[in-house]
Structures are given as C-alpha cells and as structure tokens.
Amino acid sequence: MWCYPKSSRQKHWTECDPKAATYLGYLRTHDMKIVLESAVEAGIIPKRQIQNVVAEYRRFLALHLEHPKANIPAGGMVDKLWHHHLLFTENYAEMCSKVGRMIQHRPAILDRHKSTRSVSQDSVDILYKAAFNRMRPIGLWT
C-alpha cells in the first residue's frame, strides 16, 4: 500500500500500513441515523442515494485518517454530508473519539496561506484504489 508523503521534505509516495480498512470498520459502527435522517429531510441527500453516499463519506473519512498530512478534497454529496455532519457536533465528536482523533475540516482557502496543498483528484484516486481495491465513484465525490 502506498501513502501520501508524510512531510513537505518527502516528495514521493511511501509504503505504509493498510489502516484505511481498520478505520472504515470503526466508522461503520458509529450511529449516524439522526444525521442521515436530517440530511434527507433537509433535501441535502436524496433518500434513494443515502446508503451509497454514507458509504463513500465513511471511505473519505478513512482516507483522512490514514493520511493525516494530506488535505484530501471532497465535493458533491460526500462534502455536503460532511458539512451536515459537522453541525451535529456531539455526534461528530463521538465518531472522532471512536477512531482516536478529531478529523478537522480544512477549507481550501487555507491552502493559500500554508505550504501544504490539497491532494490532486488523480492522487485521491490512487489513494482510494490502494485503500479499498476499487475505483472511486466520482459522481458522489465531485
């Protein structure tokens, strides 16, 4: 498995432990029922797509956990669900405590003021394929 460089000095992908699947297991045990119900009621996620969106949201979070130095961008319904989940601060904090650390939301504007940059979409595809042995469903992420 290949990981995003761990420091700004390191310019190349490196081998790492396969942790995304472990994180995904923890994320799947977290009860998001009220968050998902609210997202559907608010029209943020269509009811017919909620299972697919929550599955991809959890994979997105697992990638963040496996690659904490990488600013992995999300878009589309995955990003909308993340923003909605952040409004449920207790639920979000409980989920983060299950996985051992807070998953910070880092707006893209911060990239202009720091030396780090968001990971490219191509790099996200590589990380996703390495972690989950499947292609990323672009329609839910962009």
Side-chain angles (χ1 to χ4, degrees):
M1 176 171 285
W2 295 93
C3 290
Y4 192 73
K6 295 183 182 346
S7 73
S8 59
R9 291 182 195 177
Q10 193 176 2
K11 301 296 181 199
H12 303 287
W13 296 81
T14 59
E15 285 195 71
C16 65
D17 297 325
K19 295 179 185 171
T22 302
Y23 289 126
L24 190 55
Y26 291 132
L27 292 164
R28 284 180 177 149
T29 67
H30 182 67
D31 182 8
M32 290 182 55
K33 183 178 180 183
I34 192 73
V35 176
L36 301 176
E37 185 179 310
S38 173
V40 169
E41 285 179 9
I44 293 166
I45 308 294
K47 188 173 185 173
R48 70 188 188 308
Q49 290 187 293
I50 197 69
Q51 295 304 321
N52 291 334
V53 174
V54 75
E56 289 308 311
Y57 173 61
R58 288 175 173 146
R59 289 184 184 111
F60 165 73
L61 294 173
L63 285 178
H64 264 279
L65 290 162
E66 184 177 4
H67 306 282
K69 301 274 186 200
N71 187 20
I72 297 171
M77 286 189 266
V78 169
D79 192 50
K80 288 179 182 179
L81 182 55
W82 191 17
H83 285 219
H84 194 69
H85 194 189
L86 287 166
L87 297 174
F88 291 78
T89 56
E90 287 182 54
N91 188 283
Y92 189 79
E94 180 185 316
M95 178 197 71
C96 290
S97 76
K98 279 185 180 180
V99 296
R101 72 177 180 85
M102 178 61 74
I103 304 166
Q104 298 290 341
H105 181 278
R106 192 168 172 273
I109 194 167
L110 294 177
D111 287 344
R112 293 186 219 155
H113 302 283
K114 287 196 162 194
S115 61
T116 59
R117 296 282 182 250
S118 292
V119 175
S120 72
Q121 292 297 329
D122 289 341
S123 294
V124 174
D125 289 339
I126 291 167
L127 293 173
Y128 187 99
K129 175 80 169 143
F132 307 115
N133 200 28
R134 62 191 325 180
M135 299 302 293
R136 181 172 64 124
I138 300 300
L140 299 176
W141 283 65
T142 57

